Amino acid sequence: MILDTLKSKALKSAKRNNLFLKEYMLDETFTFCIISNGEKDFIGLTLTPKNEGKLSTFKSNSIEEILTTINYDLAQRAVTLALINAIGQYELGKVDIPLKANLRIALYETIINESSENDNIVFIGNLKPVVKKLSSYRKNVTVFCRSMTDEKNGVYNDIFEYEAVSKANIVVITGAALIGSTIDAILKFATNAKTVILSGFSAGINPLWLEGYNITHVASTSLKETKKEDILNITLEKIFDNPCYCIKRE
């Protein structure tokens, strides 16, 4: 499973770089995790899965404990992804990657550049501003969403997503999909897609960890200058104004 792969790669990095866990929190909108190498803090972020079921409480002060525990608890899996992203942000901070101003704009531009007018473009997760803008220039844009459907505007229940993905030329998957297990099936059905993008502030992993998976791009926010207070005071809209990147995997 892809989450198991990411947990393993993140744990190896944490041990190799002497990283330790400082704190984590499930806020109303964001779940975040803060780690440190003793000199600087690094933050990882994901969307809190509050519409997926009851969120439990748990306690841990160990990176290894979080990344080696097998669990099906939404809260713990959200913290696990935030921790993986924090370690990913640490690794990305060691390399020079070109940053852009707005993740939604960067994602839109990437899709436009990678697609033609008649391509079938499928979103797993409703990235509304991107979808709305893209639909003005691409004919076949379909969205699959668990929490809210709107068939008149091309937003369908995710029970149909595997069928649509199997016919797609471009697939865009929100990073929060990593909290669950369906992303593995989505990737297996996306074999006909020329471009598969893992996107959003929940996708702050090191793209190198995706070797062997058919994900062609990772688009996420750079949080190297972000602090806990910033996350506590920021809105869902404003998070997209953080510096961002879209990395094409070779």
Side-chain angles (χ1 to χ4, degrees):
M1 304 297 284
I2 188 170
L3 185 62
D4 292 332
T5 299
L6 297 177
K7 287 164 67 174
S8 176
K9 296 287 181 72
L11 181 57
K12 288 178 181 177
S13 175
K15 289 181 176 180
R16 183 172 62 249
N17 295 292
N18 297 314
L19 304 177
F20 60 90
L21 180 65
K22 292 192 70 174
E23 65 174 302
Y24 57 83
M25 178 182 291
L26 280 86
D27 200 19
E28 178 69 18
T29 303
F30 305 111
T31 296
F32 67 85
C33 186
I34 301 174
I35 62 170
S36 177
N37 63 354
E39 298 178 356
K40 181 175 172 34
D41 291 348
F42 303 87
I43 192 164
L45 194 64
T46 188
L47 190 68
T48 299
K50 58 185 178 181
N51 295 323
E52 301 290 336
K54 184 178 180 181
L55 296 177
S56 67
T57 57
F58 74 100
K59 294 182 180 180
S60 177
N61 58 7
S62 164
I63 288 177
E64 184 165 7
E65 180 182 12
I66 293 174
L67 294 181
T68 57
T69 300
I70 298 174
N71 69 83
Y72 305 103
D73 176 83
L74 279 172
Q76 189 165 349
R77 286 174 77 99
V79 171
T80 297
L81 180 56
L83 174 56
I84 291 169
N85 287 340
I87 298 170
Q89 292 292 300
Y90 165 80
E91 293 214 340
L92 288 173
K94 297 191 294 183
V95 297
D96 185 23
I97 55 175
L99 297 177
K100 299 184 178 183
N102 184 285
L103 181 57
R104 286 170 172 164
I105 296 173
L107 178 58
Y108 164 79
E109 291 175 346
T110 299
I111 298 170
I112 287 291
N113 292 334
E114 293 289 325
S115 65
S116 60
E117 184 179 358
N118 294 312
D119 276 344
N120 289 318
I121 302 173
V122 170
F123 282 78
I124 306 300
N126 194 1
L127 303 176
K128 291 182 181 179
V130 180
V131 171
K132 182 178 180 180
K133 187 175 182 180
L134 189 64
S135 296
S136 299
Y137 299 93
R138 295 292 181 262
K139 295 179 179 179
N140 306 308
V141 181
T142 311
V143 179
F144 294 89
C145 185
R146 178 162 302 177
S147 60
M148 185 176 296
T149 61
D150 183 6
E151 287 84 355
K152 290 182 179 180
N153 292 304
V155 182
Y156 299 96
N157 191 294
D158 64 359
I159 62 173
F160 304 113
E161 64 188 10
Y162 302 138
E163 179 181 345
V165 164
S166 71
K167 301 171 183 175
N169 305 107
I170 310 288
V171 178
V172 183
I173 308 170
T174 59
L178 290 165
I179 293 174
S181 304
T182 59
I183 188 171
D184 291 88
I186 291 168
L187 293 175
K188 287 182 179 180
F189 280 102
T191 53
N192 293 321
K194 59 185 176 182
T195 302
V196 179
I197 306 172
L198 185 65
S199 179
F201 56 82
S202 300
I205 60 175
N206 183 347
L208 294 177
W209 295 345
L210 295 170
E211 182 179 1
Y213 293 96
N214 54 322
I215 295 173
T216 61
H217 298 71
V218 176
S220 191
T221 48
S222 172
L223 300 176
K224 63 181 179 180
E225 303 301 330
T226 303
K227 297 179 174 58
K228 173 183 175 180
E229 293 75 19
D230 300 325
I231 299 300
L232 291 175
N233 295 317
I234 204 168
T235 64
L236 187 58
E237 287 298 313
K238 287 294 184 181
I239 194 69
F240 291 98
D241 290 334
N242 274 36
C244 68
Y245 54 86
C246 185
I247 298 174
K248 185 173 183 179
R249 300 185 60 250
E250 300 297 335

